Amino acid sequence: MKIIFTTSLVFLAFVSSAFDYPVEVTEQMFLEYKTLNDSDSNLVEFKDTDEMLRAKLEQLIEINKSRSKARVQPLKLDIRASRVANMICKEACENNYMGHWNLAGDKPYQRYARAGGVDHLVENAYAEWMLDMDYKDTSIPTIQTKMKVAHDSFMSERSPNDGHKQTVINGWHNNIGIGVYMTARQFTYYEEYVDKYLEIQQTVSSDGKRGIVKFKILDPEQFKLDQISCTYDRPVKPMSANKINKTESYNDFGDDHQYFFEEDLKQVDGWYTSEYDLSKSGSFYVQIILDPKDKSQLKKHGYIYASGVVFFRN
């Protein structure tokens, strides 16, 4: 018997435009991503082999096919986010769970931030369990087939219960991390959608009490700063696999809010600077919110959540 579970977080934003969507994994495309994969020193224990990298690029083509039907921009593969996704896929498979928290109690944006990520991230998750027999084949071709089935299950959803699908076709996403892991009894697949619109520098004051974020909008001709939200999360606590399985979704914010608007911030040569009080134990999640200068796009598609900076305070 096979049991399938999926879960997601939804952000609604769409862009109607014409884009070029890759239709195959060319050797040049593979070599470019192989160079990125080989040079990235983050989470090297979760690095994809060349064979798996190629399989994920094939999956990227499938995901971009879904986005082409919605006429939203194609995605690039994010190596760091893929390793973060591989990490939770492995932990989930080996501990018989599937959800948006890991056993340490971290939510997706916290997991990405611990790996050095500073951009905004939202997550789709999928898992299959075999209850009374083992999978007979766990090879990469089989995994690749299952990845497609997982993504197709997201796209087969119908409104109003189409959270995964809406995450896939969110027009502001421009990168994706793809994670996968398979054991004899479980297959787990995660899609980590990333929004990269800023150059970001994150530092902490010498006394550890102030968090400092400097950022620059990469395309100021198209986008402008609207506001910044800083939310506080209480210190994380370990979660059991059983509890994770029972918890379907997470909030993309914390318990308390600090807001900053453009007129509140210093700006020098295109760089904004904002500071945050880190006096409490826990974590502080900074979301820099942009809007397109094209007011018709803003009216139709909403704001862009363009950062996922997290300050952790013990």
Side-chain angles (χ1 to χ4, degrees):
M1 179 185 299
K2 178 170 69 177
I3 297 179
I4 299 173
F5 290 97
T6 61
T7 182
S8 71
L9 173 73
V10 182
F11 275 80
L12 301 179
F14 307 90
V15 178
S16 297
S17 187
F19 299 100
D20 292 325
Y21 304 93
V23 296
E24 64 179 357
V25 179
T26 64
E27 194 61 22
Q28 180 181 352
M29 177 181 180
F30 171 74
L31 291 174
E32 287 174 354
Y33 278 106
K34 175 176 166 54
T35 298
L36 292 173
N37 193 40
D38 290 344
S39 62
D40 195 315
S41 60
N42 293 286
L43 298 176
V44 291
E45 63 271 35
F46 299 103
K47 176 185 176 182
D48 288 314
T49 64
D50 286 357
E51 187 179 6
M52 181 58 78
L53 177 63
R54 192 178 291 274
K56 288 187 176 181
L57 290 174
E58 294 287 353
Q59 182 71 358
L60 178 67
I61 298 294
E62 294 299 317
I63 295 169
N64 279 329
K65 286 180 182 177
S66 298
R67 291 176 64 82
S68 71
K69 294 175 183 178
R71 295 186 297 171
V72 296
Q73 62 182 320
L75 304 172
K76 297 178 181 179
L77 186 68
D78 186 292
I79 298 300
R80 187 195 307 263
S82 293
R83 293 183 186 179
V84 170
N86 285 343
M87 178 169 57
I88 193 166
C89 284
K90 183 176 188 293
E91 184 183 275
C93 269
E94 293 179 345
N95 292 277
N96 195 36
Y97 78 81
M98 192 280 292
H100 293 297
W101 283 260
N102 61 10
L103 294 175
D106 283 325
K107 292 186 276 190
Y109 59 81
Q110 293 169 324
R111 287 187 271 112
Y112 188 52
R114 289 190 192 279
V118 293
D119 303 296
H120 190 252
L121 176 145
V122 294
E123 178 176 89
N124 275 353
Y126 172 101
E128 295 179 3
W129 279 271
M130 296 293 283
L131 298 183
D132 50 10
M133 64 183 73
D134 289 349
Y135 288 111
K136 295 181 180 179
D137 183 0
T138 59
S139 65
I140 286 183
T142 296
I143 289 173
Q144 189 169 355
T145 298
K146 287 186 172 294
M147 286 196 291
K148 187 177 185 303
V149 169
H151 180 75
D152 287 347
S153 76
F154 299 155
M155 297 308 298
S156 67
E157 296 173 343
R158 294 293 179 266
S159 180
N161 301 310
D162 60 344
H164 298 92
K165 180 178 180 179
Q166 294 302 329
T167 300
V168 173
I169 62 175
N170 180 315
W172 296 130
H173 300 327
N174 51 21
N175 284 256
I176 186 171
I178 300 172
V180 65
Y181 199 79
M182 189 173 183
T183 64
R185 288 295 179 94
Q186 185 172 339
F187 168 80
T188 308
Y189 171 79
Y190 279 64
E191 295 175 346
E192 311 288 353
Y193 290 87
V194 182
D195 306 330
K196 294 190 175 186
Y197 291 88
L198 303 171
E199 183 177 350
I200 301 173
Q201 299 175 2
Q202 174 186 3
T203 57
V204 177
S205 62
S206 58
D207 61 6
K209 295 181 179 180
R210 304 288 296 176
I212 304 162
V213 176
K214 291 184 64 177
F215 65 93
K216 177 187 289 188
I217 299 171
L218 294 175
D219 188 353
E221 297 298 318
Q222 299 294 326
F223 306 103
K224 66 178 183 178
L225 176 65
D226 181 78
Q227 61 181 286
I228 303 175
S229 168
C230 180
T231 58
Y232 167 75
D233 281 291
R234 295 181 179 87
V236 299
K237 296 181 180 179
M239 295 179 67
S240 68
N242 185 53
K243 185 175 181 180
I244 295 171
N245 284 330
K246 292 179 178 179
T247 310
E248 293 187 357
S249 61
Y250 69 99
N251 291 324
D252 193 40
F253 50 83
D255 305 308
D256 299 319
H257 291 71
Q258 304 174 48
Y259 287 106
F260 298 83
F261 295 90
E262 183 175 12
E263 58 268 23
D264 301 326
L265 302 179
K266 303 173 185 177
Q267 183 186 173
V268 179
D269 296 330
W271 285 90
Y272 292 92
T273 302
S274 57
E275 297 188 11
Y276 307 92
D277 181 2
L278 308 182
S279 58
K280 296 189 291 187
S281 296
S283 64
F284 300 81
Y285 178 39
V286 179
Q287 294 194 63
I288 300 166
I289 303 167
L290 306 180
D291 60 351
K293 291 186 176 180
D294 183 339
K295 296 300 182 183
S296 64
Q297 290 239 357
L298 176 61
K299 184 177 180 180
K300 292 178 181 178
H301 312 310
Y303 299 96
I304 305 165
Y305 291 79
S307 75
V309 173
V310 180
F311 293 98
F312 295 97
R313 177 85 172 169
N314 295 327

